[in-house]
Amino acid sequence: MKRIIPLILLISLPLFSQTLYKDKIWYIKPQANTKTVKTDNFIMFSSNLSGLNNFYPFSSKALLTSTFHNCFINEANFTTSFQTEDTDKLIPEGKGERDILIPYKNYIYFLLKDSKNICYYIYRYDIKNKKSKFILKLTQKYYPGYSATDKVKQSWKENPSFKKDWFNFINEFAEFRKGWAFKDKLILYYAPDYGLFFGRALIINLKTKKVEKTIERVDTVFGANENHILYTKLVDDDATTVGDDLYLFKNGKEYKIDKFDRDNGAFLNGNTVAYTKENIITLYNIKTGKRKEVLKLNLKLPVVLGVSKTGNRIFIGEREDKKQTLYLYDLYSKKLITILPHINRSFPSNFYVSYDGEYASFSVGENFYRIYLNDNSKPSLYVKIKGLIDSKTFKDKVKATVYFQDKSFVSGTNGEFKVNGKLYKEKTITLPLKEGVNKFVFEAKDRAGNTVKKAKKIIYEKPIKTTIKEIDNNPEKFKDKFVILEGFAWGWANIKDKKEVEKYSKLPFAKNNTGLSRSDGSFSDGELRILLPHFSTGSKNLTILGQIKLKNGKWLLKPINTM
């Protein structure tokens, strides 16, 4: 049975106002009551979100929060843009309870526990279309706690009443701890109960709607992204001993990253993993496999809480009794900066850290924080040029569409970019070309002054009007050149001009010509004939604009346009 979550739009999506604090620190101005902390190194805002029991980073700007029955999207300016109502109604027949929420772009995945039938239902709610959709049912074998130790399983056999009590126990207390959602994948994790059952991570394929892989004997999952899962493992058969190895699941395989201080935690962001080894902050680059020791910590009971994708900003907590403190280590200034001193109760958690750490969000109990630091990262820049073939064109002008944005959103851009020093405001522009090589440098910058440049080379080559014979005599001369050929083309079906086809079919093939496949048609300029790719049916007079390609010592005509 499909249920719908009603959705209430509280306000229209806010227009974010980027404001300069000082130097290169930009921030989104709060539109709600907040506390503000200003220092030379950062500006930070906090708000008490009373009554909320969960915080989930929803996007680079927004936070998904929830109560026991509702969830909300809290924007970068601290306003609430969406509220869902009565999420428990997603369970068929209204039975069961919500376990965890997992946000992904415009979706919220609901993991719903049906204790009576000992299963889980996964639904996906589309915020934009205001509809919920059943995704799949997780059966008993994937239920938290079913990964029992061998001793427990043996006790099931020996004592049936114990088995019954066991399942009542896990049905009541075992639950999924956390989840991550991506385009085609959902990752779920439940923690172990030491001495009773192992933790486990499930990888669910959202296309096939099946559990694709389970990672067994897991202790803690520190984080996951579309390509990686970071975790520790239990190393004995009794599920009591946690190993000191940090593991990475990548491309369907398990890898050991390093020995580490497991009580100090770890954090995954993009291709960067942050952890400590003998109290030395260490960064591991997944892409290169290289490790970098950053700082020796002189803190009691430190915890790695967050890291930017670049590794330039690292958030660290200190759990000393009566002196819980949140720090930031900034690789630009080489400083360990105090963010929150003397935290009395809850420890900072739920960290989101932007590309270079220009912005981060986290929670402490019911208080939610947003912090802004120097924006040192270059904007992203992408240039799309229509009509190019191997950087070449046969036209004297091309259209270029330029996409660029601030990597972290905090400073933003003014929407202007330059090409060879000339300023443009429109997204798509026309670039005039001279015959030969044309060089263009595209340049964009954000409001913090970070500049990115991208060079493009465009070759304008006028097509050569020629004959099959001229090309066949010297294919190397025409390699990658644009040519114009005039003649008659025909395929192998629906031929109308049978006399013309019969006439041209008697002409010899060019000896150095080749085709792409058995379905190629034929073309003749009245002297020789060649294979013509992508012309399998019909017959007609044809002028072909194409490019000559060499293939295994032969030449091939690659049609671009026909008239």
Side-chain angles (χ1 to χ4, degrees), residues 125-394:
Y125 181 72
D126 188 323
I127 293 172
K128 188 176 180 180
N129 297 323
K130 305 178 184 180
K131 292 181 179 179
S132 62
K133 181 180 179 181
F134 172 73
I135 302 299
L136 77 154
K137 174 184 174 181
L138 289 177
T139 56
Q140 285 187 14
K141 66 178 180 178
Y142 300 119
Y143 208 77
Y146 268 59
S147 48
T149 66
D150 289 340
K151 284 185 178 179
V152 169
K153 290 178 180 178
Q154 184 61 35
S155 297
W156 294 350
K157 296 177 181 178
E158 296 171 355
N159 189 344
S161 63
F162 171 75
K163 185 176 182 179
K164 183 179 179 181
D165 291 341
W166 166 266
F167 286 119
N168 287 335
F169 165 73
I170 64 169
N171 201 16
E172 180 72 23
F173 297 106
E175 61 184 11
F176 283 98
R177 181 72 59 86
K178 202 166 184 180
W180 298 263
F182 308 99
K183 183 181 178 182
D184 300 319
K185 189 184 298 182
L186 199 63
I187 298 170
L188 302 176
Y189 151 68
Y190 64 80
D193 194 328
Y194 298 122
L196 298 177
F197 61 85
F198 297 95
R200 180 191 271 176
L202 311 179
I203 302 173
I204 299 169
N205 187 317
L206 293 174
K207 285 186 175 180
T208 62
K209 298 183 179 180
K210 293 181 179 179
V211 176
E212 189 176 74
K213 176 73 177 177
T214 63
I215 306 174
E216 305 294 340
R217 298 197 171 208
V218 168
D219 178 60
T220 303
V221 174
F222 293 110
N225 57 36
E226 199 153 5
N227 301 307
H228 313 111
I229 304 173
L230 186 70
Y231 55 98
T232 51
K233 298 189 74 173
L234 294 157
V235 294
D236 66 336
D237 293 334
D238 295 329
T240 57
T241 306
V242 183
D244 293 327
D245 291 307
L246 186 59
Y247 287 86
L248 188 75
F249 190 81
K250 174 184 173 184
N251 298 328
K253 295 182 179 179
E254 185 176 80
Y255 300 88
K256 287 183 183 179
I257 288 180
D258 203 354
K259 296 283 185 184
F260 80 123
D261 306 324
R262 57 182 172 81
D263 290 336
N264 294 357
F267 197 88
L268 169 67
N269 195 354
N271 284 311
T272 299
V273 177
Y275 57 95
T276 69
K277 188 174 183 178
E278 297 177 356
N279 267 21
I280 298 173
I281 296 178
T282 305
L283 300 178
Y284 176 79
N285 187 301
I286 296 172
K287 203 170 183 180
T288 64
K290 292 182 179 179
R291 298 173 184 82
K292 177 182 177 181
E293 292 186 353
V294 174
L295 176 70
K296 174 72 174 178
L297 292 172
N298 293 312
L299 304 175
K300 292 183 179 179
L301 301 174
V303 184
V304 176
L305 297 171
V307 66
S308 64
K309 287 184 178 180
T310 60
N312 289 325
R313 267 72 181 254
I314 307 163
F315 288 88
I316 305 144
E318 184 178 28
R319 295 169 297 179
E320 185 180 359
D321 290 343
K322 299 180 181 180
K323 192 187 173 184
Q324 295 190 132
T325 305
L326 175 63
Y327 298 95
L328 165 75
Y329 184 67
D330 189 334
L331 268 73
Y332 290 107
S333 64
K334 307 294 183 186
K335 291 180 180 178
L336 186 65
I337 301 164
T338 301
I339 303 296
L340 280 177
H342 310 302
I343 304 168
N344 293 325
R345 292 179 293 174
S346 302
F347 202 62
S349 60
N350 301 309
F351 272 79
Y352 169 85
V353 187
S354 68
Y355 175 77
D356 196 40
E358 311 93 329
Y359 162 82
S361 63
F362 59 93
S363 63
V364 180
E366 293 183 343
N367 292 303
F368 182 69
Y369 294 79
R370 287 184 166 99
I371 183 171
Y372 300 88
L373 297 99
N374 275 347
D375 182 355
N376 297 315
S377 61
K378 296 178 180 179
S380 58
L381 173 63
Y382 173 68
V383 181
K384 184 179 181 181
I385 301 174
K386 289 186 69 176
L388 291 188
I389 302 170
D390 300 330
S391 298
K392 289 184 177 182
T393 181
F394 52 88

Side-chain angles (χ1 to χ4, degrees), residues 52-65:
L52 300 178
N53 59 355
N54 285 299
F55 299 82
Y56 310 89
F58 183 72
S59 68
S60 60
K61 302 175 184 178
L63 171 77
L64 180 68
T65 59

